[in-house]
Amino acid sequence: MISPFDGMAALHERSIDELPFRRHIEMPSVLAAADSVDGRRVLDLGCGSGHYARFFARSGADSVLGVDRSPGMIAHARHREEVDPLGVSYRVLDAATADALTGAFDLAVAIYALSHAATPAALTRLCAAARDTLAPDGRFVAVTLNPDFATVPHFYRPYGFDLTVADPHLRDGDPVGLHGRADEETFQVTAYYWSREAHERALVEAGFTDVAWQSPRTAADGSASLFGRYLAAPHVLAVSARAC
């Protein structure tokens, strides 16, 4: 099946360097929310080009599987694994149907996947699919659109992208446009706004407990001063929960 993301694998990779908040804030925040990946069986839901899957492998995960519905993304990720073997496996599989991997993982991670859910039912299905992949007491970490992101026009432009909304008074399910540039190539993605309450309700209905929002972390490299404006209203946050 052709996915709209099939041709974006190289751009997905470049965004890590071209949008530096991803490396300096997003990635440290994910590790903090996961409370370490060392020795754990990790599932990367919606893995894209495999950047995070490789990151988890390098961070000490016992095993890593990346799944994505885009054959193009998985082909790119597998090629990277051939060139630089880290023991990461990949499968073409929609995150919403990953429950086929029942109970096999200690940690499931979804980077931006929840923000693509267009309805409350779809949001709950994604959370439930993640829940079903986890062993008892397993942990789910999602990077999702910050319910309190800045709606001021061009607020995020200094960081390489813009968010656009039709009405700054956002309601659950409203579309949010993300427009950016990486290495002179532009991209546009539609995400959907969900309040904290909507996220938490979906997670609890899916069978999670101990829902917690992670305050943004910065890498221990002195970069925090570069991101003061962004840290005041980050466009994404990490949320974690434990499987009952």
Side-chain angles (χ1 to χ4, degrees), residues 151 165-171 174 193:
T151 57
V165 296
D167 184 341
H169 302 290
L170 289 160
R171 296 172 295 181
D174 281 355
Y193 173 84

Side-chain angles (χ1 to χ4, degrees), residues 11-194:
L11 180 61
H12 192 266
E13 289 283 305
R14 292 198 301 273
S15 73
I16 299 294
D17 293 317
E18 297 291 325
L19 303 175
F21 72 86
R22 299 203 66 194
R23 186 180 302 281
H24 293 286
I25 299 173
E26 181 184 292
M27 293 171 70
S29 296
V30 168
L31 275 189
D35 192 26
S36 172
V37 300
D38 193 43
R40 300 165 86 176
R41 300 166 297 168
V42 179
L43 174 64
D44 185 357
L45 291 162
C47 67
S49 62
H51 178 85
Y52 262 99
R54 295 192 298 276
F55 173 57
F56 298 141
R58 292 190 178 103
S59 298
D62 182 65
S63 64
V64 183
L65 172 65
V67 302
D68 199 284
R69 67 177 180 174
S70 164
M73 288 287 194
I74 292 297
H76 181 95
R78 286 173 173 163
H79 175 70
R80 289 294 304 271
E81 175 65 19
E82 291 173 359
V83 172
D84 181 17
L86 294 170
V88 180
S89 300
Y90 297 98
R91 286 179 58 179
V92 177
L93 186 66
D94 193 321
T97 60
D99 52 356
L101 306 168
T102 303
F105 299 92
D106 305 306
L107 173 68
V109 179
I111 308 299
Y112 301 127
L114 299 188
S115 301
H116 291 297
T119 66
L123 184 64
T124 300
R125 279 197 303 272
L126 278 169
C127 294
R131 166 63 187 88
D132 287 344
T133 70
L134 292 168
D137 288 327
R139 195 174 188 86
F140 178 45
V141 174
V143 170
T144 191
L145 191 65
N146 177 8
D148 300 310
F149 75 85
T151 57
V152 176
H154 311 310
F155 182 92
Y156 299 102
R157 182 165 290 181
Y159 303 102
F161 67 97
D162 277 319
L163 293 183
T164 58
V165 296
D167 184 341
H169 302 290
L170 289 160
R171 296 172 295 181
D172 284 328
D174 281 355
V176 179
L178 189 154
H179 318 268
R181 176 181 294 271
D183 195 22
E184 301 305 314
E185 187 174 353
T186 59
F187 61 91
Q188 180 170 329
V189 176
T190 297
Y192 296 91
Y193 173 84
W194 298 106

